[in-house]
Structures are given as structure tokens and as C-alpha cells.
Amino acid sequence: MSEFTFSRFENIFYDGDAIGYPLGGKLHEKYFDAEWIGVEKHSIRRPLECSCESFKVDPHAAYLTVRGREPYYPGNRISDFSVPFTSAIGYHPKCKGKCFYIYVNREEIMIRLLAEAAKNRDSKFEVGEFSDLVAENRITGNLPWVIDEFAKGERGFMTFTTSFSPSNDLLSVNHKCRTSIRIKVNPEKIINSSEPDTSPLGARIHGINKLTYSGYPCGIVLSPVILCEKWRTLYGELFDILEATLCDEIKKNGTVEIIFDKRSPALKSKKLEAAEFIIRQSLEKFPLMKIIDIH
């Protein structure tokens, strides 16, 4: 999804009273010129039956809906819970429209999240599992509100990853260090080939430096590590760039994650070789940064 994708929508689908929620009303005003189409409620697990002719015209549609009380998923090694929060880019193979799902009942979602956080002061919630919240923020302007509201609860921690350079509206949020933001990085050649519509490497690094200066706990995520031809050279150069351009604060207190491409046909022995190389690079370049996940 490019820096300019979804600057407008030709078709916006909605169900129930989605437009009646504050966020739904805000989006209705913002995209007033789009064609608003009421549909029967569905979900990511039961996506739209996409026989609608409009999908053939506009493959990038938005769908406004209300998120229910689905259970939180067990987290990975860096979080206790994985929480699909306010949106999901259309990833479901049956959703031919590739809709950008937006859950408009953010106030209800936040109340539940704060209630869960209140149970354990140190709970950590991965809130961007199904989407890139920084990309979504370009559409909804939702993320500063989310971070500020969660900080008011004063219990628990949120975290999410992004492939985009965060916008300036995040820099003045009173986050109280309760939200950590992890920026995905890769060699520029791999970004251009596997994530051509996301922020370039330099913009991502500039963004994470700005967030760090604004007091956010931050980290870098090498994801997905792709073992292409000359991978050793490419990732060696990436670490040289990171060493030269990351600010000192994140080098002292930041985190590192290393996530391999699950679809890669590379042999296990090659992945182990690459993991050893990348870990060694990380330890040499950033001895104070903590490696928190490798998979």
C-alpha cells in the first residue's frame, strides 16, 4: 500500500449503524463523494460474497463495520495477547474486493482493551496483527486517539509494527511510554521488490528516529528476511546503513527482531547460516540493543 493509496475511495460498504459511530461519521464526511453501499453484516471469517460488479471497477474498497467480542488470541514471544484492533487490509482469499476493513466502534474496543489491561499491570498487547496501523492512520486519523486513550488507563502496554514512516501527528501524543512502535526494515532492493508500495528504507529510519526522540519505546524488525541471491552482501550493507543513521537513543535502548520469510524454499541449513550472520551483525553493530525474537 503506497504512501498515496486510499487517498480516495470510489466505493465504501457499510453495515448496520456503522455511520452512526463517531469514527464512521467522520469517514462519511471525509469520503462523502464516494458511493456508500449498505450491505448485510459479514466478517473477515465470513467475507463479502463478491459478485458485486463494482469490485471489478474498484479493487480497493473500504468496508465499515462493528467489531464484536471475539476472544483475544494468545500472543507471540513479545506479547501476551494478539488483538485485531481497528482495521484489516483485505487479505482474505475469498474477499475479492480486497476491502480495507475498518472497525468504527473504537470506543467499545478500547473499553474492553483497558479492562483486560487492568487485570495485569504488565500485560502486553500486539494491536496491529491484521493491519498496518500507521497506514490506516492516513485514512482515519485514528492512531493518536488510540495511543492517548490507552495511556490514560495506566496499565498494560501496546505494541505494533509498521512498514511506513509514521506521520507527525504521533509525535505530540501523551503516550506515557505505554506504546512501543517497531519499524520493519529490509535492504532497499528487497523493499522495492517485495513491498514496492510502502515507505523506502530511509523514510522508515527517519521515522523511527523521530518516534524515539518523542519518547516512544522503539525497535527494528528485520522482516521478512529473504534469502535472495547475494543476501549476505545486502544484509551486511543494511546493517552498515542502520549503524550510520539510527539515532544513539535507539541504539542504546531499542530492540531487534529477526523474522524469516515463512514461504521461502530455502533449506533449514541456509536459514541457520543466515540467522547466525544477522545475529552476529546485530551484536557487532548494536551491542546494547536487545534481540527479543527470532523465528
Side-chain angles (χ1 to χ4, degrees):
M1 189 168 61
S2 73
E3 301 284 341
F4 306 104
T5 297
F6 302 134
S7 60
R8 66 181 183 86
F9 293 104
E10 291 185 13
N11 297 307
I12 298 181
F13 299 85
Y14 66 94
D15 62 40
D17 190 34
I19 300 176
Y21 285 85
L23 180 57
K26 173 184 174 182
L27 293 172
H28 187 257
E29 181 178 349
K30 180 177 180 180
Y31 296 105
F32 183 78
D33 291 337
E35 182 177 359
W36 287 76
I37 306 167
V39 296
E40 182 182 353
K41 183 174 176 58
H42 61 287
S43 67
I44 290 178
R45 292 179 181 174
R46 185 170 65 84
L48 278 172
E49 297 295 331
C50 296
S51 59
C52 181
E53 289 296 320
S54 60
F55 280 123
K56 297 178 181 179
V57 177
D58 179 16
H60 295 298
Y63 172 57
L64 275 56
T65 188
V66 174
R67 182 162 185 83
R69 296 190 62 84
E70 293 88 346
Y72 290 168
Y73 304 105
N76 51 30
R77 281 175 280 186
I78 65 166
S79 65
D80 299 296
F81 300 100
S82 185
V83 183
F85 196 66
T86 58
S87 71
I89 296 172
Y91 67 96
H92 197 291
K94 293 182 181 179
C95 187
K96 298 176 184 177
K98 304 300 180 186
C99 285
F100 193 105
Y101 286 65
I102 300 175
Y103 307 120
V104 294
N105 58 327
R106 64 180 189 180
E107 291 82 6
E108 296 169 357
I109 296 170
M110 181 57 69
I111 289 171
R112 183 185 176 196
L113 183 60
L114 291 174
E116 286 291 335
K119 296 176 183 178
N120 185 339
R121 179 178 295 275
D122 297 321
S123 292
K124 194 166 190 177
F125 301 88
E126 175 81 50
V127 294
E129 180 190 19
F130 291 156
S131 187
D132 190 309
L133 298 186
V134 172
E136 180 215 327
N137 190 54
R138 298 175 189 273
I139 301 167
T140 64
N142 198 38
L143 193 50
W145 181 91
V146 170
I147 294 172
D148 182 70
E149 287 296 312
F150 186 80
K152 292 176 182 177
E154 299 187 349
R155 283 177 175 260
F157 300 90
M158 290 196 311
T159 186
F160 60 87
T161 61
T162 180
S163 298
F164 289 80
S165 175
S167 53
N168 290 333
D169 60 356
L170 299 185
L171 303 182
S172 59
V173 177
N174 186 18
H175 53 77
K176 298 182 182 179
C177 296
R178 308 202 76 79
T179 296
S180 59
I181 303 177
R182 295 127 57 217
I183 307 290
K184 293 182 179 181
V185 295
N186 244 325
E188 196 74 70
K189 181 178 179 180
I190 291 178
I191 290 175
N192 291 339
S193 61
S194 63
E195 296 183 301
D197 292 330
T198 59
S199 295
L201 176 62
R204 299 186 194 192
I205 295 172
H206 181 61
I208 197 171
N209 285 342
K210 290 194 298 182
L211 290 170
T212 301
Y213 287 134
S214 296
Y216 284 95
C218 290
I220 59 173
V221 185
L222 283 85
S223 172
V225 174
I226 296 178
L227 301 182
C228 58
E229 185 179 359
K230 297 183 180 180
W231 64 264
R232 187 184 293 269
T233 299
L234 290 173
Y235 282 96
E237 292 173 349
L238 172 62
F239 273 98
D240 288 340
I241 293 171
L242 293 172
E243 182 183 32
T245 55
L246 285 176
C247 66
D248 290 340
E249 182 62 28
I250 193 170
K251 291 178 184 178
K252 294 177 183 177
N253 299 306
T255 59
V256 178
E257 297 164 68
I258 304 167
I259 301 174
F260 284 85
D261 183 2
K262 295 179 181 178
R263 300 166 297 178
S264 172
L267 296 174
K268 184 177 180 180
S269 59
K270 188 175 181 179
K271 289 185 177 180
L272 288 173
E273 177 189 354
E276 291 175 358
F277 174 81
I278 292 172
I279 291 170
R280 185 167 61 252
Q281 288 286 310
S282 181
L283 293 174
E284 289 177 359
K285 303 290 188 181
F286 312 118
L288 299 180
M289 293 181 73
K290 182 180 179 181
I291 299 177
I292 59 174
D293 196 14
I294 306 172
H295 70 269

